[in-house]
Amino acid sequence: LGKDIVDILVNIFLNPKAVVDSLAFDWQGKLGYLLILFAPTAFMSTFDPGPLLMAVPWLVASLLSDFWGYYNAFHTQYPAFVAPFILYSSVRGLKELARRVGSLRKFATLTVLCSILFSVGFSPLSPLSSYTVGYKPLRIDEHTLMLRRIIGLIPSDAPILTQRDIFPHVSGRVHAYVYVPGVKTFFPRFYNVYKNLGIPPPDVQFDYILVDITSHHYYGLPNPPLVEVVPTILDEGGWGILASVDGILLFKRGYSGEPVIFSPYNATYDYTELFIQHGELMKDPTSQSVYVLHRTGQEPSNTTFWYGPNKVLPPGEYVVEFRIKVGSVDTGYVITLDVACDMGRTILNFIRLYGENFTEANVWHTFKLRFVITAPKFIEFRGINVTSGVEIYLDTIRVTQVDVAH
């Protein structure tokens, strides 16, 4: 309806077609939004709508919006703007209805039943909510218990930087900071407030960094994400690994000893996580993963067979094992296996395979490479510069952490 509040108000009164078009945008979603707001109290607020006047400004704004979050009753905070007024109006409506018909119990029972039904179906505490609105079941698993144990390594008064989903676990500490991006990235207005007042933006110092590379919060907003920021901080030097378990990483400034808590990070990748560039997927009963990456030998020479999985690994020393076989044994060059990061720009290690590296055709062989990373980084394992005329199969790539980074 407009780019600012003045435009919106003018169009509401002078451009009714724009109002209708805005209301019609995703009208099913908006109708469902209203039902979810009012149905849990059996629409009792309609019998005394006076208190709803306080909710009208936001209801109008949300129903005229084309942003789904404003009229979504489950996954955002915006329904909290109107919920108190709906509840208060419902209580008054129930009282008014009882006054009109002379009976409170019947309508109070109906209201309670509606509330219970909606709680059972949609509350995050209900197991059914994972099916109705996609909430994840609330549970404390071994990963969460390990996170708590690692947090116990941090002194209560130590300044710590962490990510959004971990911050609630440490928010009771005075010097706990959730990651906020650079002053000119995701919060430019926040930065400008300080700039206009002539005050430098806050310069937060921290002695611990706690992240979880298995969580999507490590990769998503704000921008730039932590997956880019943490390696930059660690590259400055002076940081050591205090704990590394199941993707949970705790770094301490000035620490040079062995990790207090450590468990090797191991993974196996197959056709489900690797990407074929020149080749195909085929079934192989002799493989461990049933399906394998296959190159017939008819593909162009000096091309890439596969790459991936582009997964972040914790800092450490690793051994990677490629399980490969060829259709025939020749003496010439076959393929180069490598480990790369930085979108393939940095090669951590590689090996060139020749026919003599395969003792027998159509038999699986394992080739190993060692590599070290000093910060959590996206890693890919590739089969590149492949010759033509040789049939090649890749089954699995197994990665084993043998030590932490020193």
Side-chain angles (χ1 to χ4, degrees), residues 267-378:
T268 299
Y269 306 112
D270 56 20
Y271 69 95
T272 61
E273 295 178 284
L274 300 172
F275 305 95
I276 301 174
Q277 185 163 333
H278 290 277
E280 63 182 8
L281 190 65
M282 68 172 291
K283 198 169 186 178
D284 188 330
T286 69
S287 68
Q288 296 176 349
S289 53
V290 182
Y291 286 90
V292 299
L293 281 61
H294 176 233
R295 187 174 168 105
T296 65
Q298 303 301 314
E299 297 82 1
S301 182
N302 201 35
T303 54
T304 297
F305 181 5
W306 80 84
Y307 62 96
N310 294 318
K311 299 284 180 126
V312 172
L313 299 185
E317 182 179 351
Y318 292 86
V319 172
V320 55
E321 301 173 71
F322 299 82
R323 193 166 189 260
I324 296 177
K325 70 177 180 180
V326 292
S328 60
V329 177
D330 298 315
T331 57
Y333 168 79
V334 177
I335 187 174
T336 296
L337 309 177
D338 75 1
V339 182
C341 62
D342 303 325
M343 300 299 292
R345 292 186 294 270
T346 302
I347 308 300
L348 301 176
N349 203 353
F350 70 94
I351 181 174
R352 293 187 178 91
L353 298 182
Y354 295 84
E356 54 263 31
N357 295 119
F358 298 89
T359 58
E360 189 176 348
N362 295 311
V363 173
W364 292 106
H365 294 69
T366 299
F367 300 96
K368 298 181 180 181
L369 286 174
R370 300 181 76 93
F371 66 96
V372 176
I373 50 175
T374 57
K377 291 187 177 182
F378 283 104

Side-chain angles (χ1 to χ4, degrees), residues 74-91:
F74 296 109
H75 300 286
T76 67
Q77 71 275 23
Y78 300 111
F81 294 167
V82 297
F85 308 112
I86 294 174
L87 292 174
Y88 179 54
S89 177
S90 297
V91 172

